[in-house]
């Protein structure tokens, strides 16, 4: 029996990374696509709560939503899909999602939404923009998806996968890593609109701070595929006792 895969992204339903990944999955899986109508890079885990959302279907069968990546997966899982998926997949993203990028990434957010609903979920990103060697990245993504489906775990997992522009796929080139760190983002870029009013562009991301071999940054720097398991518990356990002494003073 074919597996059912729900696929989303943050680049939009007509993005090359999404289209090629879906084509590679179709021969052996039932694939349903719910993706944003337009690019929502940097949308993080935002849900649209101030207006209704439309769901439309493109000629290729992809569903697209005038909302965020999280909206897409949320609507699919809670209101539209008749057959629940075996896995939720996001990507392949046009550019890296390393270190702190995961907090802002719409690609990771789409996978996170699936994980929140109890499904094994994985986000894929090609670390260089404009799709260099996208065919090898697709092979790597399919390999990891098949492995997750063939080797299920008792509890759902959430994986963030970054793929450098490799010439070919070699399973031995995959590394499990922790998230690295960046320096703070660069300053905003200020200019003026036609009325002479100041406007601001968010500045470029910060340079890499932690390039250790066991980080996602380090693995990519060495030409490896970086697979990072993520969790959503934001509790800072090491500071619980300190916070109790500080906040609970009588």
């Amino acid at each position: 029996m074919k597996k059912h895969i729900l696929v989303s992204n943050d680049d939009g339903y007509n993005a090359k990374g999404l289209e090629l990944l879906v084509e590679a999955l179709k021969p052996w899986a039932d694939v349903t696509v719910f993706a944003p109508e337009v690019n929502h890079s940097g949308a993080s885990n935002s849900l649209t709560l101030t207006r209704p959302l439309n769901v439309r279907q493109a000629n290729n069968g992809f569903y697209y939503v005038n909302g965020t990546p999280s909206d897409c997966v949320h609507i699919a899982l809670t209101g539209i899909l008749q057959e629940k998926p075996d896995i939720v997949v996001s990507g392949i993203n046009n550019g890296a999602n390393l270190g702190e990028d995961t907090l802002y990434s719409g690609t990771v957010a789409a996978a996170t939404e699936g994980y929140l609903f109890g499904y094994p979920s994985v986000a894929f990103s090609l670390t260089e923009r404009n799709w260099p060697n996208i065919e090898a990245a697709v092979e790597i993504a399919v390999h990891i998806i098949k492995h997750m489906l063939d080797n299920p775990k008792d509890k759902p997992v959430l994986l963030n996968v970054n793929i450098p522009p490799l010439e070919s796929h070699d399973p031995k080139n995959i590394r499990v890593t922790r998230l690295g760190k960046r320096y703070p983002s660069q300053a905003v870029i200020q200019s003026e609109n036609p009325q002479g009013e100041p406007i601001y562009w968010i500045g470029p991301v910060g340079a890499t701070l932690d390039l250790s071999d066991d980080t996602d940054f380090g693995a990519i720097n060495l030409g490896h595929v970086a697979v990072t398991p993520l969790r959503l518990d934001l509790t800072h356990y090491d500071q619980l006792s300190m916070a109790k002494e500080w906040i609970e003073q009588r």
Side-chain angles (χ1 to χ4, degrees):
M1 182 177 177
K2 279 188 173 182
K3 298 292 187 179
H4 182 206
I5 302 175
L6 174 62
V7 183
S8 189
N9 73 348
D10 76 354
D11 292 322
Y13 74 98
N14 57 357
K16 185 175 182 179
L18 175 73
E19 292 177 342
L20 292 179
L21 177 59
V22 169
E23 285 304 308
L25 295 173
K26 277 184 175 179
W28 58 274
D30 293 323
V31 182
T32 305
V33 175
F34 274 76
E37 183 176 16
V38 297
N39 186 296
H40 271 79
S41 296
S44 188
N45 299 86
S46 58
L47 290 172
T48 301
L49 304 177
T50 57
R51 60 176 175 83
L53 296 167
N54 296 319
V55 178
R56 296 184 172 91
Q57 192 168 20
N59 291 334
N60 61 2
F62 292 5
Y63 292 96
Y64 60 94
V65 181
N66 61 337
T68 67
S70 295
D71 287 333
C72 296
V73 176
H74 191 100
I75 286 175
L77 293 177
T78 65
I80 296 181
L81 286 184
Q82 298 299 311
E83 177 192 354
K84 298 303 182 183
D86 295 288
I87 191 171
V88 175
V89 173
S90 182
I92 298 171
N93 188 61
N94 184 19
N97 281 301
L98 300 161
E100 292 92 335
D101 300 346
T102 57
L103 296 174
Y104 302 101
S105 168
T107 305
V108 175
T112 299
E113 194 69 15
Y115 176 76
L116 286 171
F117 280 97
Y119 297 95
S121 303
V122 54
F124 293 101
S125 301
L126 184 57
T127 59
E128 291 190 18
R129 299 186 64 81
N130 299 319
W131 317 113
N133 295 346
I134 182 63
E135 293 80 9
V138 168
E139 289 183 26
I140 292 165
V142 170
H143 169 84
I144 291 173
I145 293 167
K146 284 184 174 180
H147 183 80
M148 293 177 69
L149 290 170
D150 293 340
N151 300 274
K153 298 302 178 185
D154 294 335
K155 296 181 179 180
V157 296
L158 174 60
L159 300 182
N160 182 42
V161 181
N162 282 275
I163 306 170
L166 301 169
E167 294 291 340
S168 60
H169 166 43
D170 181 357
K172 296 180 180 179
N173 200 34
I174 298 174
R175 299 289 184 271
V176 175
T177 66
R178 61 180 176 88
L179 294 179
K181 291 185 68 64
R182 295 187 186 275
Y183 287 99
S185 296
Q186 299 179 40
V188 297
I189 301 168
Q190 182 177 349
S191 59
E192 291 185 349
N193 66 16
Q195 288 74 44
E197 299 168 329
I199 57 175
Y200 303 89
W201 291 92
I202 296 295
V205 298
T208 305
L209 172 62
D210 185 355
L211 195 65
S212 304
D213 289 352
D214 64 335
T215 67
D216 49 3
F217 285 106
I220 294 299
N221 186 57
L222 294 171
H224 301 308
V225 176
V227 178
T228 307
L230 303 179
R231 67 179 182 180
L232 303 183
D233 184 352
L234 300 181
T235 307
H236 197 320
Y237 290 99
D238 291 343
Q239 290 188 1
L240 279 176
S241 58
M242 178 274 292
K244 284 179 178 291
E245 293 176 3
W246 176 43
I247 300 297
E248 296 181 0
Q249 296 182 54
R250 296 294 187 269

